[in-house]
Coordinates of all heavy atoms in Angstrom, one line a residue:
E118 N 46.4 16.3 14.6 CA 46.5 14.9 14.1 C 47.1 14.0 15.0 O 46.7 12.8 15.2 CB 47.2 15.0 12.7 CG 47.5 13.7 12.0 CD 46.2 13.2 11.3 OE1 45.3 14.0 10.9 OE2 46.1 11.9 11.1
E119 N 48.2 14.4 15.7 CA 49.0 13.5 16.5 C 48.2 13.1 17.8 O 48.7 12.3 18.6 CB 50.3 14.2 17.0 CG 51.3 14.4 15.8 CD 50.7 15.6 14.9 OE1 50.2 16.6 15.5 OE2 50.9 15.5 13.7
A120 N 47.1 13.7 18.1 CA 46.4 13.4 19.4 C 45.8 12.1 19.4 O 45.6 11.5 20.5 CB 45.4 14.5 19.7
Y121 N 45.6 11.5 18.3 CA 44.9 10.2 18.2 C 45.4 9.5 16.9 O 45.4 10.1 15.9 CB 43.4 10.3 18.3 CG 42.7 8.8 18.2 CD1 42.7 8.1 19.4 CD2 42.2 8.3 17.0 CE1 42.1 6.8 19.3 CE2 41.7 7.0 17.0 CZ 41.7 6.3 18.1 OH 41.2 5.0 18.1
F122 N 45.7 8.2 17.1 CA 46.0 7.4 15.9 C 45.0 6.2 15.9 O 44.8 5.6 16.9 CB 47.4 6.8 15.9 CG 47.7 5.9 14.8 CD1 48.1 6.4 13.5 CD2 47.5 4.5 14.9 CE1 48.2 5.5 12.5 CE2 47.7 3.7 13.8 CZ 48.1 4.2 12.6
P123 N 44.5 5.9 14.7 CA 44.6 6.6 13.4 C 43.7 7.8 13.3 O 42.5 7.7 13.5 CB 44.1 5.5 12.4 CG 43.6 4.3 13.2 CD 43.6 4.7 14.7
G124 N 44.3 8.9 12.9 CA 43.6 10.2 12.7 C 43.0 10.4 11.4 O 43.1 9.5 10.5
P125 N 42.6 11.7 11.1 CA 42.0 12.0 9.8 C 42.9 11.6 8.6 O 42.4 11.2 7.5 CB 41.6 13.4 9.8 CG 41.8 13.9 11.2 CD 42.5 12.8 12.0
R126 N 44.2 11.9 8.7 CA 45.1 11.7 7.6 C 45.1 10.2 7.2 O 45.3 9.8 6.1 CB 46.4 12.2 7.9 CG 46.8 13.3 7.0 CD 48.2 13.8 7.3 NE 48.3 14.9 8.2 CZ 49.3 15.1 9.1 NH1 50.3 14.3 9.1 NH2 49.2 16.1 9.8
F127 N 45.0 9.3 8.2 CA 45.0 7.9 8.0 C 43.7 7.5 7.2 O 43.8 6.8 6.2 CB 45.0 7.1 9.3 CG 44.9 5.6 9.1 CD1 46.1 4.8 9.1 CD2 43.7 5.0 9.0 CE1 46.0 3.4 9.0 CE2 43.6 3.6 8.9 CZ 44.7 2.8 8.8
W128 N 42.6 8.0 7.6 CA 41.3 7.5 7.0 C 41.0 8.0 5.6 O 40.3 7.4 4.8 CB 40.1 7.8 8.0 CG 40.3 7.0 9.3 CD1 40.6 7.5 10.5 CD2 40.0 5.6 9.5 NE1 40.6 6.5 11.4 CE2 40.2 5.4 10.9 CE3 39.6 4.6 8.7 CZ2 40.1 4.1 11.5 CZ3 39.4 3.3 9.3 CH2 39.7 3.1 10.7
R129 N 41.5 9.3 5.4 CA 41.2 9.9 4.0 C 39.8 9.7 3.6 O 39.5 9.0 2.6 CB 42.1 9.3 3.0 CG 43.6 9.4 3.2 CD 44.3 8.8 2.0 NE 45.6 8.2 2.5 CZ 46.1 7.1 2.0 NH1 45.5 6.4 1.1 NH2 47.2 6.7 2.4
S130 N 38.9 10.2 4.4 CA 37.5 9.9 4.2 C 36.8 10.8 3.1 O 35.9 11.6 3.4 CB 36.7 10.1 5.5 OG 36.9 11.4 6.0
A131 N 37.3 10.6 1.9 CA 36.8 11.4 0.8 C 35.3 11.3 0.6 O 34.6 12.3 0.1 CB 37.5 11.1 -0.5
A132 N 34.7 10.2 1.0 CA 33.2 10.0 0.8 C 32.4 10.7 2.0 O 31.2 10.6 1.9 CB 32.9 8.5 0.7
A133 N 33.0 11.2 2.9 CA 32.3 11.9 4.1 C 31.8 13.2 3.5 O 32.3 13.7 2.5 CB 33.2 12.1 5.2
P134 N 30.7 13.7 4.2 CA 30.2 15.1 3.7 C 31.4 16.1 3.7 O 32.2 16.1 4.5 CB 29.2 15.4 4.8 CG 28.8 14.1 5.4 CD 30.0 13.2 5.3
A135 N 31.2 17.1 2.8 CA 32.3 18.1 2.6 C 32.5 18.8 4.0 O 31.6 19.1 4.7 CB 31.8 19.1 1.6
G136 N 33.8 18.9 4.3 CA 34.2 19.7 5.5 C 34.1 18.8 6.8 O 34.4 19.4 7.9
V137 N 33.8 17.6 6.7 CA 33.7 16.7 7.9 C 34.7 15.5 7.7 O 34.6 14.8 6.7 CB 32.3 16.1 8.2 CG1 32.3 15.5 9.6 CG2 31.3 17.2 8.1
A138 N 35.7 15.4 8.6 CA 36.6 14.3 8.5 C 36.1 13.2 9.4 O 35.8 13.5 10.6 CB 38.0 14.8 8.9
T139 N 36.1 12.0 8.9 CA 35.6 10.9 9.7 C 36.5 9.7 9.4 O 37.3 9.6 8.5 CB 34.1 10.5 9.2 OG1 34.2 9.8 8.0 CG2 33.2 11.7 9.1
S140 N 36.2 8.6 10.2 CA 36.8 7.3 9.9 C 35.8 6.7 8.8 O 34.9 7.3 8.4 CB 36.8 6.4 11.1 OG 35.5 5.9 11.4
G141 N 36.2 5.5 8.3 CA 35.4 4.8 7.3 C 34.7 3.6 7.8 O 34.0 2.9 7.1
L142 N 34.9 3.3 9.1 CA 34.3 2.1 9.8 C 33.0 2.6 10.4 O 32.8 3.8 10.6 CB 35.2 1.5 10.8 CG 36.5 0.9 10.3 CD1 37.4 0.5 11.5 CD2 36.3 -0.3 9.4
T143 N 32.2 1.6 10.8 CA 31.0 2.0 11.6 C 31.1 1.3 13.0 O 32.1 0.7 13.3 CB 29.7 1.6 10.8 OG1 28.6 2.3 11.4 CG2 29.5 0.2 10.7
Q144 N 30.1 1.4 13.8 CA 30.1 0.8 15.2 C 28.6 0.4 15.5 O 27.7 0.6 14.7 CB 30.5 1.9 16.2 CG 32.0 1.7 16.6 CD 32.4 2.6 17.7 OE1 31.8 3.6 17.9 NE2 33.5 2.2 18.4
P145 N 28.4 -0.3 16.6 CA 27.1 -0.8 16.9 C 26.0 0.3 16.7 O 26.1 1.4 17.4 CB 27.2 -1.3 18.3 CG 28.7 -1.8 18.5 CD 29.4 -0.7 17.6
P146 N 25.0 0.0 15.9 CA 24.1 1.0 15.6 C 23.0 1.3 16.7 O 21.8 1.0 16.5 CB 23.4 0.5 14.3 CG 23.5 -1.0 14.4 CD 24.7 -1.3 15.3
L147 N 23.4 2.0 17.7 CA 22.5 2.3 18.9 C 21.8 3.6 18.7 O 21.1 4.0 19.6 CB 23.4 2.3 20.1 CG 22.8 2.3 21.5 CD1 21.9 1.2 21.8 CD2 23.9 2.4 22.6
Y148 N 21.9 4.2 17.6 CA 21.5 5.6 17.4 C 19.9 5.8 17.4 O 19.5 6.7 18.0 CB 22.1 6.1 16.1 CG 23.5 5.8 16.1 CD1 24.0 4.9 15.1 CD2 24.4 6.3 17.0 CE1 25.3 4.5 15.1 CE2 25.8 5.9 17.0 CZ 26.2 5.0 16.0 OH 27.5 4.7 16.0
A149 N 19.2 4.9 16.8 CA 17.7 5.0 16.8 C 17.2 4.9 18.2 O 16.3 5.6 18.6 CB 17.1 4.0 15.8
R150 N 17.8 3.9 18.9 CA 17.3 3.7 20.3 C 17.6 5.0 21.1 O 16.7 5.5 21.9 CB 18.0 2.6 20.9 CG 17.7 2.2 22.3 CD 16.3 2.0 22.6 NE 15.7 0.9 21.8 CZ 14.4 0.5 22.0 NH1 13.6 1.1 22.9 NH2 13.9 -0.4 21.2
A151 N 18.8 5.5 20.9 CA 19.2 6.8 21.7 C 18.3 7.9 21.3 O 17.8 8.7 22.1 CB 20.7 7.1 21.4
A152 N 18.0 8.0 20.0 CA 17.2 9.2 19.5 C 15.8 9.1 20.1 O 15.2 10.1 20.5 CB 17.1 9.1 18.0
L153 N 15.3 7.9 20.2 CA 13.9 7.7 20.8 C 13.9 8.2 22.2 O 13.1 8.9 22.7 CB 13.5 6.3 20.7 CG 12.1 5.9 21.3 CD1 11.0 6.7 20.6 CD2 11.9 4.4 21.3
E154 N 15.0 7.8 23.0 CA 15.0 8.1 24.4 C 15.2 9.6 24.5 O 14.6 10.2 25.5 CB 16.2 7.4 25.0 CG 16.1 5.9 24.9 CD 16.2 5.1 26.2 OE1 16.6 5.7 27.2 OE2 15.9 3.9 26.2
V155 N 16.0 10.2 23.7 CA 16.2 11.6 23.8 C 14.8 12.4 23.6 O 14.5 13.2 24.4 CB 17.2 12.1 22.8 CG1 17.2 13.6 22.6 CG2 18.6 11.6 23.1
A156 N 14.1 11.9 22.6 CA 12.8 12.6 22.3 C 11.9 12.4 23.4 O 11.1 13.3 23.8 CB 12.3 12.1 21.0
L157 N 11.8 11.2 23.9 CA 10.8 11.0 25.0 C 11.2 11.6 26.3 O 10.3 11.9 27.1 CB 10.7 9.4 25.2 CG 10.2 8.6 24.1 CD1 10.3 7.1 24.3 CD2 8.7 9.0 23.8
R158 N 12.4 12.0 26.5 CA 12.8 12.7 27.8 C 12.6 14.2 27.6 O 12.7 15.0 28.6 CB 14.3 12.5 28.1 CG 14.7 11.1 28.3 CD 14.7 10.6 29.7 NE 15.0 9.2 29.6 CZ 14.0 8.3 29.5 NH1 12.7 8.6 29.5 NH2 14.4 7.0 29.5
S159 N 12.3 14.6 26.4 CA 12.3 16.0 26.1 C 11.1 16.7 26.8 O 9.9 16.2 26.7 CB 12.1 16.1 24.6 OG 11.8 17.3 24.2
R160 N 11.3 17.7 27.6 CA 10.2 18.3 28.3 C 9.3 19.1 27.3 O 8.2 19.3 27.4 CB 10.7 19.3 29.4 CG 11.0 18.5 30.7 CD 11.6 19.5 31.7 NE 12.8 19.9 31.3 CZ 14.0 19.3 31.6 NH1 13.9 18.2 32.3 NH2 15.2 19.8 31.1
D161 N 10.0 19.6 26.2 CA 9.3 20.3 25.1 C 8.9 19.3 24.1 O 9.7 18.9 23.2 CB 10.2 21.3 24.6 CG 9.6 22.1 23.4 OD1 8.6 21.7 22.8 OD2 10.2 23.2 23.0
A162 N 7.7 18.8 24.1 CA 7.2 17.7 23.2 C 7.4 18.0 21.8 O 7.8 17.2 21.0 CB 5.8 17.3 23.5
E163 N 7.1 19.3 21.4 CA 7.3 19.7 20.0 C 8.7 19.6 19.6 O 9.0 19.2 18.5 CB 6.6 21.1 19.8 CG 6.6 21.6 18.3 CD 6.3 20.4 17.3 OE1 5.3 19.7 17.5 OE2 7.0 20.3 16.2
A164 N 9.6 20.1 20.4 CA 11.0 20.0 20.1 C 11.4 18.5 20.0 O 12.2 18.2 19.1 CB 11.9 20.7 21.2
G165 N 10.9 17.7 20.8 CA 11.2 16.2 20.7 C 10.7 15.7 19.4 O 11.5 14.9 18.7
R166 N 9.6 16.1 19.0 CA 9.1 15.5 17.7 C 9.9 16.1 16.5 O 10.2 15.4 15.5 CB 7.5 15.9 17.5 CG 6.6 15.0 18.3 CD 5.2 15.2 17.8 NE 4.7 16.5 18.0 CZ 4.1 16.9 19.2 NH1 3.9 16.0 20.2 NH2 3.7 18.1 19.3
A167 N 10.2 17.4 16.6 CA 11.0 18.0 15.5 C 12.3 17.3 15.4 O 12.8 17.1 14.3 CB 11.1 19.5 15.8
F168 N 12.9 17.0 16.5 CA 14.2 16.3 16.5 C 14.1 15.0 15.8 O 14.8 14.6 14.9 CB 14.7 16.1 17.9 CG 15.8 15.1 18.2 CD1 17.0 15.3 17.6 CD2 15.5 13.9 18.8 CE1 18.0 14.3 17.8 CE2 16.4 12.9 19.0 CZ 17.7 13.1 18.5
L169 N 13.0 14.2 16.1 CA 12.7 13.0 15.5 C 12.5 13.1 14.0 O 13.0 12.3 13.2 CB 11.6 12.2 16.2 CG 11.8 11.6 17.5 CD1 10.5 10.9 18.0 CD2 13.0 10.7 17.5
R170 N 11.8 14.1 13.6 CA 11.6 14.3 12.2 C 12.9 14.6 11.5 O 13.1 14.1 10.3 CB 10.6 15.6 11.9 CG 9.1 15.2 12.0 CD 8.3 16.3 11.3 NE 8.4 17.5 12.1 CZ 7.7 17.9 13.1 NH1 6.7 17.1 13.5 NH2 7.8 19.1 13.8
R171 N 13.8 15.3 12.1 CA 15.1 15.5 11.4 C 15.9 14.3 11.3 O 16.6 14.1 10.3 CB 15.9 16.6 12.2 CG 15.3 18.0 12.2 CD 16.3 19.0 12.6 NE 16.8 18.9 14.0 CZ 16.1 19.3 15.1 NH1 15.0 19.9 15.0 NH2 16.6 19.1 16.3
V172 N 16.0 13.5 12.4 CA 16.9 12.3 12.3 C 16.4 11.1 11.7 O 17.1 10.2 11.3 CB 17.5 12.0 13.7 CG1 18.3 13.1 14.3 CG2 16.4 11.6 14.8
Y173 N 15.0 11.0 11.7 CA 14.4 9.7 11.2 C 14.9 9.3 9.8 O 15.3 8.1 9.6 CB 12.9 9.9 11.2 CG 12.1 8.7 10.6 CD1 12.2 7.4 11.3 CD2 11.4 8.8 9.4 CE1 11.5 6.3 10.8 CE2 10.7 7.7 9.0 CZ 10.8 6.5 9.6 OH 10.1 5.3 9.1
P174 N 15.0 10.2 8.8 CA 15.5 9.7 7.5 C 17.0 9.2 7.6 O 17.4 8.3 6.9 CB 15.4 10.9 6.6 CG 14.6 12.0 7.3 CD 14.6 11.6 8.8
R175 N 17.7 9.9 8.4 CA 19.2 9.5 8.5 C 19.3 8.1 9.2 O 20.2 7.3 8.8 CB 19.9 10.6 9.3 CG 20.0 11.8 8.5 CD 20.8 12.8 9.3 NE 21.1 14.0 8.5 CZ 22.3 14.1 7.9 NH1 23.2 13.2 8.0 NH2 22.6 15.2 7.1
L176 N 18.5 7.9 10.2 CA 18.5 6.6 10.9 C 18.1 5.5 9.9 O 18.7 4.4 9.9 CB 17.6 6.7 12.1 CG 18.0 7.7 13.2 CD1 17.0 7.8 14.3 CD2 19.4 7.3 13.8
G177 N 17.0 5.8 9.2 CA 16.6 4.9 8.2 C 17.6 4.5 7.1 O 17.8 3.3 6.8
A178 N 18.4 5.6 6.7 CA 19.5 5.4 5.8 C 20.6 4.4 6.3 O 21.1 3.6 5.6 CB 20.1 6.7 5.3
L179 N 20.9 4.6 7.6 CA 21.9 3.8 8.2 C 21.4 2.4 8.3 O 22.1 1.4 7.9 CB 22.2 4.2 9.7 CG 23.0 3.2 10.5 CD1 24.4 3.0 9.9 CD2 23.1 3.6 12.0
H180 N 20.1 2.1 8.6 CA 19.7 0.8 8.7 C 19.6 0.1 7.3 O 19.9 -1.1 7.2 CB 18.3 0.8 9.4 CG 18.4 1.0 10.9 ND1 17.6 0.3 11.8 CD2 19.2 1.8 11.6 CE1 17.9 0.8 13.1 NE2 18.8 1.7 12.9
A181 N 19.3 0.9 6.3 CA 19.3 0.4 5.0 C 20.7 0.1 4.5 O 20.9 -1.0 3.8 CB 18.6 1.4 4.0
Y182 N 21.7 0.9 4.9 CA 23.1 0.6 4.6 C 23.4 -0.8 5.2 O 24.0 -1.7 4.5 CB 24.0 1.6 5.1 CG 25.5 1.2 5.1 CD1 26.2 1.2 3.9 CD2 26.1 0.8 6.3 CE1 27.5 0.8 4.0 CE2 27.4 0.4 6.4 CZ 28.1 0.4 5.2 OH 29.5 0.0 5.2
L183 N 23.1 -1.0 6.4 CA 23.4 -2.3 7.1 C 22.8 -3.5 6.4 O 23.4 -4.5 6.1 CB 23.0 -2.3 8.6 CG 23.8 -1.2 9.4 CD1 23.3 -1.2 10.8 CD2 25.3 -1.6 9.5
A184 N 21.5 -3.3 6.1 CA 20.7 -4.4 5.5 C 21.2 -4.6 4.0 O 21.3 -5.8 3.6 CB 19.3 -4.0 5.5
G185 N 21.6 -3.6 3.3 CA 21.9 -3.8 1.9 C 23.4 -4.0 1.7 O 23.7 -4.9 0.8
R186 N 24.2 -3.4 2.4 CA 25.7 -3.5 2.1 C 26.5 -4.4 3.1 O 27.6 -4.7 2.8 CB 26.3 -2.1 2.2 CG 25.6 -1.1 1.2 CD 26.1 -1.3 -0.3 NE 27.6 -1.0 -0.3 CZ 28.1 0.1 -0.4 NH1 27.4 1.2 -0.5 NH2 29.4 0.2 -0.5
R187 N 25.9 -4.7 4.2 CA 26.6 -5.5 5.2 C 26.0 -7.0 5.3 O 26.4 -7.7 6.2 CB 26.6 -4.8 6.5 CG 27.5 -3.6 6.5 CD 28.9 -3.8 6.0 NE 29.8 -2.7 6.2 CZ 30.5 -2.5 7.3 NH1 30.5 -3.4 8.3 NH2 31.3 -1.5 7.4
N188 N 25.2 -7.3 4.4 CA 24.5 -8.6 4.5 C 25.4 -9.7 3.8 O 24.9 -10.4 2.9 CB 23.1 -8.5 3.9 CG 22.4 -9.8 3.9 OD1 22.7 -10.7 4.7 ND2 21.3 -9.9 3.2
A189 N 26.7 -9.8 4.2 CA 27.6 -10.6 3.5 C 27.2 -12.1 3.7 O 27.5 -13.0 2.8 CB 29.0 -10.4 4.0
G190 N 26.6 -12.4 4.8 CA 26.2 -13.8 5.0 C 24.9 -14.2 4.3 O 24.5 -15.4 4.3
G191 N 24.2 -13.2 3.8 CA 23.0 -13.5 3.0 C 21.7 -13.8 3.8 O 20.7 -14.1 3.3
A192 N 21.8 -13.8 5.2 CA 20.7 -14.1 6.0 C 20.0 -12.9 6.6 O 19.1 -13.0 7.4 CB 21.1 -15.1 7.0

Side-chain angles (χ1 to χ4, degrees):
E118 177 77 25
E119 296 70 38
Y121 179 79
F122 175 82
R126 246 184 265 148
F127 175 95
W128 295 102
R129 301 183 212 140
S130 56
V137 189
T139 75
S140 76
L142 298 172
T143 193
Q144 260 187 337
L147 189 56
Y148 315 111
R150 178 58 55 179
L153 177 64
E154 301 232 350
V155 167
L157 293 172
R158 304 266 171 270
S159 169
R160 276 176 295 270
D161 177 346
E163 183 42 42
R166 282 193 298 270
F168 162 71
L169 286 181
R170 271 196 299 269
R171 290 195 300 277
V172 295
Y173 177 65
R175 290 178 169 268
L176 297 169
L179 167 65
H180 287 218
Y182 165 76
L183 295 173
R186 303 279 301 276
R187 291 304 189 92
N188 182 15

